[in-house]
């Protein structure tokens, strides 16, 4: 899914907080570890349940018009994940 817009890397980075709360970082790390485990186990349902970004997406989603409705539509149509790629 491509929204047809460009977001500069500099701007995309500027909307991120300068620090991250320890509990948020730990939550992300746990999800990554569990995702790797799911891949090794071949557990597609577990892998799918872990494919959401609590660290960056909450800040960057506002840079993409209609992000929430596009994500909901994609997931309802059967997509296993939906996220933001690029803009470093």
């Amino acid at each position: 899914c491509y929204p047809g817009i460009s977001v500069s890397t500099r701007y995309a980075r500027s909307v991120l907080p300068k620090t991250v709360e320890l509990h948020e970082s730990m939550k992300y790390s746990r999800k990554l570890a569990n995702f790797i485990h799911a891949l090794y186990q071949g557990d597609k349902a577990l892998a799918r349940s872990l494919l959401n970004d609590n660290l960056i997406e909450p800040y960057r989603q506002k840079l993409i018009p209609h992000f929430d409705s596009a994500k909901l539509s994609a997931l309802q149509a059967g997509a296993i994940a939906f996220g933001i790629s690029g803009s470093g």
Side-chain angles (χ1 to χ4, degrees), residues 8-82:
S8 78
T9 298
R10 181 178 302 217
Y11 184 65
R13 288 181 179 166
S14 75
V15 302
L16 299 177
K18 301 299 180 217
T19 60
V20 176
E21 294 289 330
L22 180 60
H23 72 276
E24 288 297 325
S25 177
M26 294 301 297
K27 179 179 176 183
Y28 194 81
S29 297
R30 280 192 307 273
K31 285 184 2 181
L32 176 57
N34 282 315
F35 180 74
I36 293 168
H37 170 74
L39 294 178
Y40 273 104
Q41 297 300 310
D43 189 337
K44 293 178 185 178
L46 177 59
R48 180 180 185 170
S49 74
L50 297 162
L51 288 175
N52 51 14
D53 177 3
N54 65 292
L55 209 54
I56 302 299
E57 187 175 292
Y59 300 98
R60 288 191 172 165
Q61 69 185 27
K62 63 186 172 198
L63 304 178
I64 302 169
H66 312 292
F67 179 86
D68 289 332
S69 61
K71 182 175 183 174
L72 180 61
S73 294
L75 295 173
Q76 287 176 339
I80 62 166
F82 188 96

